[in-house]
Amino acid sequence: MVESLIWPSWPLHGNDLMRLAVALLLAAVCGEGVARLMKLPRVTGYSLAGLLMGPALLDWFGPTDLDNVRIAIDLALALLLFELGVRLDVRWFRANPWVLVSSVAEAALVFLLTFATMRVFGHPNGLAATVAAIAIGTSPSVVMRVAAESKAEGQVTQRLFVLCALNVTYSIVLSKLIVGGMHGVFRGDWTLAVLHPIYLIAGSLFVGAVLAFAFRLLQRAFDLTDEQGVAVLFGLLLLTMSALAILKLPSMLAPLIAGAIIKFSDPRPHLWPRHFGTAGGVLVIALFMLTGTTLTPTLVLAGGLTAVALLLARLIGKLGGGMLVGAPSGLSLRQSVVLGLALLPMSGVAFLLAEDIRTIYPLFGSQLAPIVLSMLAILELLGPIAVQWSLRKAGETRAGGR
Amino acid sequence: MSLEHFAESRSLTMGVELELQIVNTHDYDLVGSAEDLLRILAKRKQSGVVKPEITDSMIEMSTGVCDNYHDALEQLGTIRDEIVDAARRLNIGVCGGGTHGFQHWDDRKIFDKPRFNLLSELYGYLAKQFTVFGQHVHIGCPGPDVALYLLHSLSRYVPHFIALSASSPFLQGSDTGYQSARLNSVFAFPLAGRAPYLESWVEFERYFDKMATTGVVKSMKDFYWDIRPKPEFGTIEVRVMDTPLTMRRAAEIAAYIQAVSRWLMIERPMRPCEDDYLVYTFNRFQACRFGLAGTYVDPRTHEHRTLAEDIAATIERVEQHAIELGADEACRAVREIASSGVNDAVVLRGDHADARSLNEVVRRQCLRWKS
């Protein structure tokens, strides 16, 4: 029997690692191809690869594989949200409250319009509110990656980051409140309905504050812009992720809060490690590819028409909110329009929110998933393109500029 | 195209223009928000003028005609406050300093205006590298011949103005070793340097016409001289200064120029001559490279001394005129800079030694500009 430990058994069998490696390579090739040949954002290519390899077409990966790599998705998102948080300077809202108003207007309009659309399609209030809450959020991963790829900087880019950070926060908080409501409806446990959301939000704030404090301590000890910085930052975020998992807290709110606390308590420039892009890039490819693999054809088709209508309603909300208060906040009409368009992407966060609900209430989750996932399927591909196009129209991209 | 008529202006009045940097508040790199800033400012009742500059991360603020130091300080303060307030609403930073410490010139975009696009086409990368920030001071002259007299007499003091205002030690992420690296960028332009030695406006007009027929220049704007006449304002314009880190420093330097000009115009201490320019580029280089510690060669006596010493001596000479103009406070401050040797370039190097990050240096520049 020793032979079987020494020699490979014939015929050869691939293992999970090999599948993942091939998938990663394919995604990278897709991303590069899309960027070179079609001048589209790389993330579109990653998502495309995910869709190809997922159950929708080749069926190499299914939703069950996702559980194994959930930590990779969580970590990639946490990194991006942390970075996004650092770019959220809350002092700005005191200097220009209209920015906050435009954020609330945009989010409220999206919520109302998507909720109404769900009702028109005959869905119950609970489901309508959940979908509407998820629809508020803009994908931080798409926004951050596409902006970084096109080296965008300027008013539209800056506001895109801020509005994205804010609407993701609204989206998470609202959907947690709705989950709380479900405890009341499905279990009749109204104490839990009140306590659970409070625990989730207060807990996230607490962990976020601890993370911010730890980061600032480490910043004093290490030069975070050098190579070692990557390891320190990864370690710190992994530790946070595991703490959040143990405490059963959402993985997305705390890093964002931590980032914002860091910027608020120390306005000095916080720069990311030079190699951060490279290391984080692998995780980002995984993030987009894996969310792509969750889409099964039946789910996408089930969502179908509703999803298209919802996306239209969401588009009107995102555009309308910005245009209503664009001028007093200091934007031109053109900037308001492209900013609204750039807010379109949905991906990782929406997916995780739907997943979190599905794990607690599977039945409700199975009604929710088709709608959210169909919206995702469309926006995974179109969202990044919308961001890229908007930033170009705003004249804020520098990659190969005039 | 012929040279325009030299307009009338009140003798020895002054005007100050400052080119400012627009940076983001995340990593403090330059950001192309000039248009956004101008849009907000356009909605308000403004006291001074704020205009776009060649690349979209620069703006230029300018005072109206000022009688004296206090007038200039007040006008600059009002415009500064308006700009700072508008910038805060956009979450961007505005600051002084002759160069941005770590911007990459290729990231810059030309502000969309016919003249700027034309310059960009002509000069290529030089136009983008021209993202440097200077202070210009206009001095009112009663007539064109006086203007040329003042221009050539004042040339002797150009190294003073460079050393006092120098605030551009860093360029493209490195310490250049210079106190004013900005002037090296300006010097790359074909029509940079000093004005030709012509003493009367008739001769100057002839020179201009000849240049115009060669097709090299179309207007006075095409000359990038250190000091040039500005016929439409009836002034001469001193253009060698870096934008200082604070607007108080800008007003002090302007007042010093005004005091020296009054002394030159009223006492006529010496008649300028072409040979004054023999040491011009040497002195200018010393000021750029070493600031107040640089060597100054007296064009008449050929004596060597430090710029700090020459500035102190000059202030003594012009004291009475400074008092007449109400510029004595400003001249005291200038003497203090000279004797301490601490100009803005030294301040910036100190910030860098302390923070070890050029990004943080730029953030502190923004704070200094607000103060």
Side-chain angles (χ1 to χ4, degrees):
Chain A
M1 287 309 282
V2 180
E3 275 84 355
S4 72
L5 294 174
I6 297 175
W7 304 111
S9 60
W10 197 260
L12 293 169
H13 283 287
N15 55 19
D16 280 349
L17 185 62
M18 188 178 271
R19 273 201 308 158
L20 196 64
V22 171
L24 206 58
L25 277 172
L26 195 68
V29 169
C30 249
E32 202 52 41
V34 161
R36 290 237 185 120
L37 301 177
M38 298 157 78
K39 304 258 177 274
L40 294 177
R42 287 189 176 77
V43 291
T44 302
Y46 305 154
S47 303
L48 200 64
L51 281 176
L52 281 176
M53 293 181 285
L57 285 161
L58 294 175
D59 202 18
W60 291 1
F61 289 90
T64 45
D65 290 298
L66 213 58
D67 300 335
N68 306 325
V69 285
R70 170 79 191 251
I71 187 69
I73 299 190
D74 280 348
L75 184 62
L77 257 182
L79 281 167
L80 289 164
L81 285 166
F82 186 53
E83 204 180 334
L84 184 64
V86 172
R87 302 207 50 156
L88 176 69
D89 191 348
V90 292
R91 286 184 200 82
W92 191 13
F93 305 140
R94 203 173 45 203
N96 189 354
W98 285 104
V99 175
L100 203 56
V101 175
S102 73
S103 164
V104 173
E106 168 263 313
L109 217 54
V110 167
F111 185 88
L112 290 175
L113 290 174
T114 44
F115 182 84
T117 310
M118 283 294 281
R119 295 292 294 145
V120 168
F121 277 82
H123 293 288
N125 277 329
L127 190 61
T130 313
V131 168
I134 292 176
I136 290 175
T138 297
S139 163
S141 40
V142 171
V143 162
M144 303 273 302
R145 288 309 300 176
V146 177
E149 204 178 295
S150 44
K151 292 210 254 167
E153 194 62 72
Q155 272 304 296
V156 172
T157 312
Q158 184 182 219
R159 286 174 196 236
L160 178 59
F161 286 149
V162 167
L163 293 190
C164 174
L166 288 174
N167 68 27
V168 161
T169 311
Y170 307 150
S171 180
I172 296 171
V173 170
L174 264 179
S175 77
K176 295 304 166 196
L177 287 176
I178 290 168
V179 169
M182 281 187 244
H183 296 319
V185 174
F186 292 149
R187 301 191 177 168
D189 188 346
W190 287 100
T191 327
L192 187 65
V194 176
L195 284 183
H196 190 216
I198 292 179
Y199 169 71
L200 293 179
I201 292 161
S204 297
L205 271 170
F206 175 74
V207 175
V210 172
L211 174 58
F213 182 71
F215 177 83
R216 297 209 44 198
L217 274 184
L218 285 168
Q219 215 176 15
R220 253 171 252 166
F222 295 92
D223 177 6
L224 287 181
T225 52
D226 69 13
E227 260 170 271
Q228 200 166 217
V230 186
V232 170
L233 214 55
F234 269 47
L236 191 61
L237 278 172
L238 266 177
L239 195 65
T240 311
M241 304 304 337
S242 66
L244 288 170
I246 292 167
L247 295 170
K248 297 226 181 303
L249 291 169
S251 57
M252 295 166 290
L253 211 46
L256 186 66
I257 291 168
I261 291 176
I262 288 166
K263 182 70 183 176
F264 182 72
S265 59
D266 181 1
R268 285 180 304 176
H270 296 279
L271 302 177
W272 301 103
R274 274 188 289 277
H275 305 277
F276 196 62
T278 334
V282 178
L283 288 177
V284 168
I285 294 181
L287 169 71
F288 283 98
M289 186 188 82
L290 291 169
T291 37
T293 59
T294 54
L295 302 169
T296 61
T298 39
L299 277 182
V300 173
L301 288 178
L305 196 59
T306 323
V308 174
L310 280 170
L311 287 178
L312 274 176
R314 188 167 175 273
L315 172 68
I316 296 169
K318 295 275 175 205
L319 280 175
M323 282 158 73
L324 279 178
V325 274
S329 78
L331 287 188
S332 69
L333 182 63
R334 177 197 182 84
Q335 284 174 318
S336 304
V337 171
V338 293
L339 178 57
L341 278 176
L343 285 169
L344 281 184
M346 276 173 81
S347 80
V349 173
F351 170 74
L352 290 184
L353 285 176
E355 271 295 294
D356 285 346
I357 293 174
R358 183 148 70 169
T359 41
I360 304 181
Y361 295 108
L363 197 68
F364 183 79
S366 66
Q367 294 172 292
L368 178 67
I371 300 171
V372 172
L373 289 180
S374 321
M375 289 170 80
L376 281 182
I378 300 168
L379 285 183
E380 287 275 357
L381 298 178
L382 294 184
I385 300 173
V387 177
Q388 188 193 42
W389 187 84
S390 303
L391 294 179
R392 276 192 195 148
K393 281 287 153 197
E396 296 186 1
T397 57
R398 284 183 288 180
R402 188 163 52 154
Chain B
M1 195 178 290
S2 74
L3 194 54
E4 53 206 302
H5 173 70
F6 195 90
E8 245 172 72
S9 76
R10 259 186 306 137
S11 185
L12 292 166
T13 49
M14 63 176 167
V16 182
E17 296 167 6
L18 293 169
E19 290 161 349
L20 301 174
Q21 318 191 12
I22 308 174
V23 297
N24 73 46
T25 53
H26 170 61
D27 63 5
Y28 289 87
D29 197 355
L30 287 175
V31 67
S33 290
E35 222 177 307
D36 304 300
L37 206 53
L38 292 167
R39 191 184 321 118
I40 289 198
L41 287 167
K43 284 185 197 166
R44 304 186 175 186
K45 207 176 70 192
Q46 275 180 72
S47 44
V49 188
V50 184
K51 286 188 304 208
E53 257 297 330
I54 184 150
T55 60
D56 63 3
S57 30
M58 315 170 76
I59 47 163
E60 184 190 89
M61 61 181 261
S62 43
T63 64
V65 178
C66 307
D67 288 325
N68 54 37
Y69 168 64
H70 293 283
D71 193 4
L73 194 62
E74 201 187 302
Q75 288 198 29
L76 284 173
T78 315
I79 313 167
R80 191 265 320 258
D81 292 346
E82 279 165 3
I83 293 175
V84 165
D85 190 51
R88 203 177 283 137
R89 283 170 43 102
L90 294 170
N91 199 26
I92 53 181
V94 171
C95 64
T99 52
H100 183 276
F102 61 91
Q103 63 115 356
H104 197 278
W105 63 268
D106 195 32
D107 285 343
R108 305 281 70 83
K109 283 186 191 150
I110 302 295
F111 192 99
D112 193 11
K113 219 171 114 169
R115 175 169 167 80
F116 297 150
N117 287 327
L118 193 84
L119 288 176
S120 170
E121 209 144 286
L122 173 62
Y123 291 116
Y125 87 109
L126 275 186
K128 283 187 185 176
Q129 286 218 327
F130 207 42
T131 309
V132 291
F133 309 86
Q135 174 184 2
H136 302 167
V137 173
H138 288 267
I139 299 290
C141 298
D145 290 346
V146 180
L148 288 174
Y149 160 77
L150 185 62
L151 187 155
H152 294 300
S153 309
L154 215 48
S155 288
R156 181 194 179 287
Y157 301 93
V158 154
H160 292 196
F161 311 146
I162 294 172
L164 286 168
S165 67
S167 62
S168 51
F170 303 108
L171 195 67
Q172 310 282 322
S174 310
D175 191 330
T176 58
Y178 280 68
Q179 298 225 350
S180 172
R182 167 185 153 268
L183 275 182
N184 295 333
S185 304
V186 182
F187 225 35
F189 281 84
L191 298 170
R194 66 176 184 88
Y197 189 77
L198 300 167
E199 286 180 282
S200 76
W201 193 250
V202 181
E203 282 175 286
F204 188 83
E205 273 176 325
R206 209 175 299 137
Y207 166 81
F208 182 88
D209 289 340
K210 274 195 281 184
M211 285 300 279
T213 36
T214 64
V216 173
V217 297
K218 287 198 178 65
S219 76
M220 273 309 295
K221 275 187 181 171
D222 295 316
F223 293 111
Y224 287 77
W225 296 331
D226 294 345
I227 309 181
R228 75 182 175 195
K230 179 97 178 173
E232 68 178 289
F233 290 171
T235 62
I236 59 158
E237 184 185 7
V238 184
R239 302 150 44 82
V240 288
M241 288 80 71
D242 284 356
T243 299
L245 296 181
T246 59
M247 56 113 209
R248 176 173 293 274
R249 175 66 52 88
E252 285 162 2
I253 290 168
Y256 175 58
I257 296 175
Q258 189 193 22
V260 173
S261 301
R262 187 174 197 271
W263 171 68
L264 290 170
M265 253 199 232
I266 291 177
E267 293 194 13
R268 300 255 171 174
M270 59 191 108
R271 196 181 141 76
C273 67
E274 176 128 41
D275 278 0
D276 288 347
Y277 284 108
L278 288 177
V279 288
Y280 184 79
T281 43
F282 175 85
N283 283 341
R284 190 181 185 276
F285 162 76
Q286 285 283 326
C288 286
R289 176 72 174 86
F290 303 108
L292 296 156
T295 305
Y296 179 80
V297 181
D298 191 305
R300 294 291 163 91
T301 65
H302 304 169
E303 204 181 317
H304 288 220
R305 40 182 178 261
T306 67
L307 269 162
E309 287 163 356
D310 201 57
I311 291 171
T314 307
I315 287 182
E316 216 151 282
R317 234 168 272 146
V318 306
E319 194 179 8
Q320 205 47 48
H321 297 274
I323 293 170
E324 290 289 326
L325 288 166
D328 40 333
E329 184 191 331
C331 284
R332 266 199 304 280
V334 167
R335 197 204 308 253
E336 176 56 30
I337 302 165
S339 66
S340 67
V342 180
N343 60 10
D344 283 343
V346 174
V347 169
L348 287 173
R349 285 208 170 95
D351 277 352
H352 187 236
D354 175 47
R356 285 178 303 156
S357 145
L358 284 173
N359 310 70
E360 170 65 7
V361 170
V362 178
R363 189 182 75 90
R364 293 188 191 180
Q365 278 171 249
C366 293
L367 293 178
R368 289 182 197 281
W369 180 250
K370 282 186 218 171
S371 67

